[in-house]
Amino acid sequence: MIDLATLRLDPGAVKRSQAARGESEALVDDVLAADIARRSAVGEFEALRTKQKALGSQVAKAQGGEKQALLTESKSLSDQVKAAEGALREMDAALDSLVLGLSNLVDAEAPVGTEDDFVVLKEVGSKRDFPAEGITVRDHVELGELLGAIDIERGAKVSGSRFYYLTGQGAMLEFALIQLAMTLAQKNGFIPMIPPALVKPAAMEGTGFLGQAAENVYRLEADDLYLVGTSEVPLAAYHMDEILDGDFPLRYVAYSPCFRREAGSHGKDTRGIFRVHWFDKVEMFSFCPVDEAQAEHQRLLSFEEEFLQAIEIPYRVIDVATGDLGSSAARKFDCEAWIPSQERYREVTSTSNCTTFQSRRLKIRKRTTDGVEPIATLNGTLCAVTRIIVAILENHQEADGSVRIPKALQPYLGGASHFKLK
RNA sequence: GGAGACGUCGCAUAGUCCGGUCGAGUGCGCCUCACUGCUAAUGAGGUAAGGAGUCAAAUCCUUCGGAGGUUCAAAUCCUCUCGUCUCCGCCA
């Protein structure tokens, strides 16, 4: 949620942000109008309520005929108060729904433009020259079959398209990745968490996933619960309605399943496990003071890079353009791993600085010497298991279809150096 | 799933039966000041959030788990709901 005080002061800035995202500028004027209407309704209601309260205490003390007269007066006032309160509630609701439609203010540093206008910040690691090694590149589906690591056919049989089984070495690889990710995160000061993957509407709404992303969210009608698409949701909502004390940044790392309907991506990445309806993920989340948020964002990015480097995957980092940011994000960096079978970089991690957008919605603040203030929230992927499996299998494949295990993962896989053919 | 108890300002609690004097008392914690060489102890004062308003104040409004209702008036009465605890049932 945008800060209304800021919006009143500088509506132009909000309009520019909306424009940069390719979203409605007119909405800003609508919000301003609704805000003025609401404030006048507040005044009316409060004036009447003050009167009613004063009269009420007179009623309590009065006797006999005087009391009857006061009661009559009070009765008619009561109707006016109810009407004024009703009007105020409508104004409140109208303003709320308008404000919730506004996306976060984009960071001034973020590249302006649409999806393709991202800026490549750097490329790290070296891509293998497979032809030079005499290797015909196999994609992860083929490798997964040869290794007995991924069973996509049966995933489809049991659950439908975009579902899979990890089997044997594939299943163990997931555990190894999680262990490595959680270990690195803990070393970096994150508190490990296993959060619930089903959440109430307030948590989903508060993290901004019921806006433009709503069509990608699974909802359990019978119980009014949502399946989370990322543990960002339960982690952000963990401190919902709380005023935080103590040391910042407050960092959590969670392992959870993630569920996505992939409604808008029919026909995209239909092969393999690159884009699936369910996968497991290790996600970082940080609560931090506003003036430290940008530095913390860089740190989250560096933790993502640390992980990719540990598993020896060539990648690049992109600064995502304003038009491709989620509604909560002010700025976003993606790490894209090199995928040999596609001969291009593909997103494997993403880190967003949501500034105070989520914390305002979720009513999370931090205590200061004189009062409270909103806090910034940031999130970042540490390991999206399926995509990392794709990257590992393809980048570390050998001529016979076996796959080299990067050193950092070996301790979690019984010290083995390779995934062997089944 | 069944039976019962409970949910109040950081924590613990009073107030609810019998509606107005309750935005709400007390203890602890915390902050400021006084006193003491320091600490402790003691004394005095202060100590929720959100909103309207203002240069800033004053002041006013909202909130007693949540949502509705009754009433001139609700922490207090009614309904529903969520959560916690105890006991029973079922179960990984």
Side-chain angles (χ1 to χ4, degrees), chain A residues 244-251 287-289 366 375:
Chain A
L244 302 176
D245 282 311
D247 297 329
F248 297 96
L250 180 55
R251 289 173 174 160
F287 296 90
C288 113
K366 83 183 266 293
I375 193 164

Side-chain angles (χ1 to χ4, degrees), chain A residues 10-20 23-26 28-29 105:
Chain A
D10 191 0
V14 183
K15 283 186 183 176
R16 284 192 295 280
S17 173
Q18 288 288 101
E23 293 174 15
S24 166
E25 290 179 67
V28 176
D29 293 317
L105 284 177

Side-chain angles (χ1 to χ4, degrees), chain A residues 55-69:
Chain A
L55 216 53
S57 65
Q58 287 179 46
V59 170
K61 289 177 213 146
Q63 294 292 326
E66 190 195 355
K67 182 159 192 160
Q68 286 311 312

Side-chain angles (χ1 to χ4, degrees), chain A residues 175-192 251-254 282-284 299-312 349 381-383 388 406-409 411-412:
Chain A
F175 288 124
L177 287 168
I178 292 158
Q179 291 256 18
L180 175 62
M182 294 299 272
T183 303
L184 286 177
Q186 217 174 335
K187 182 202 80 187
N188 288 326
F190 289 79
I191 301 165
R251 289 173 174 160
Y252 296 104
V253 61
V282 176
E283 177 83 5
M284 301 177 283
R299 286 190 287 264
L300 293 189
L301 177 59
S302 75
F303 298 147
E304 293 181 350
E305 294 194 56
E306 178 186 22
F307 182 79
L308 290 173
Q309 287 169 22
I311 57 173
E312 301 168 42
T349 74
T381 318
L382 196 51
C383 176
I388 293 298
K407 276 221 159 47
L409 281 175
Y412 306 110

Side-chain angles (χ1 to χ4, degrees), chain A residues 85-311:
Chain A
E85 187 172 15
L88 175 57
R89 281 194 198 196
E90 276 176 36
M91 302 279 180
D92 266 334
L95 179 62
D96 266 6
S97 74
L98 286 172
V99 172
L100 287 179
L102 282 174
S103 292
N104 199 3
L105 284 177
V106 299
D107 190 310
E109 309 271 309
V112 175
T114 54
E115 192 174 349
D116 298 325
D117 295 314
F118 60 83
V119 171
V120 177
L121 297 179
K122 59 175 158 180
E123 294 192 48
V124 180
S126 48
K127 301 166 200 162
R128 282 167 67 188
D129 185 345
F130 287 99
E133 292 184 49
I135 295 176
T136 306
V137 170
R138 295 178 167 97
D139 78 357
H140 73 276
V141 176
E142 202 179 338
L143 292 164
E145 274 172 27
L146 289 171
L147 299 171
I150 309 173
D151 190 337
I152 291 168
E153 256 179 58
R154 290 197 177 88
K157 176 179 77 176
V158 173
S159 302
S161 68
R162 295 200 192 283
F163 285 95
Y164 60 94
Y165 285 75
L166 293 182
T167 56
Q169 306 177 91
M172 297 316 286
L173 173 53
E174 162 150 350
F175 288 124
L177 287 168
I178 292 158
Q179 291 256 18
L180 175 62
M182 294 299 272
T183 303
L184 286 177
Q186 217 174 335
K187 182 202 80 187
N188 288 326
F190 289 79
I191 301 165
M193 302 273 259
I194 309 280
L198 277 74
V199 299
K200 296 200 244 184
M204 218 48 160
E205 180 72 54
T207 39
F209 282 94
L210 294 185
Q212 60 192 25
E215 63 172 11
N216 274 314
V217 174
Y218 284 104
R219 171 153 188 253
L220 301 181
E221 184 79 39
D223 301 285
D224 200 17
L225 287 171
Y226 293 91
L227 286 168
V228 301
T230 164
S231 48
E232 173 189 342
V233 175
L235 288 180
Y238 185 63
H239 289 300
M240 177 163 62
D241 298 318
E242 292 180 21
I243 295 172
L244 302 176
D245 282 311
D247 297 329
F248 297 96
L250 180 55
R251 289 173 174 160
Y252 296 104
V253 61
Y255 164 65
S256 86
C258 303
F259 302 92
R260 302 185 178 185
R261 295 185 64 236
E262 295 295 348
S265 50
H266 290 298
K268 234 170 146 184
D269 301 313
T270 48
R271 184 171 167 80
I273 60 169
F274 188 82
R275 187 180 299 279
V276 287
H277 287 309
W278 147 75
F279 60 96
D280 293 318
K281 179 160 65 70
V282 176
E283 177 83 5
M284 301 177 283
F285 199 90
S286 177
F287 296 90
C288 113
V290 174
D291 57 1
E292 289 173 34
Q294 292 194 349
E296 180 71 354
H297 198 193
Q298 291 296 332
R299 286 190 287 264
L300 293 189
L301 177 59
S302 75
F303 298 147
E304 293 181 350
E305 294 194 56
E306 178 186 22
F307 182 79
L308 290 173
Q309 287 169 22
I311 57 173

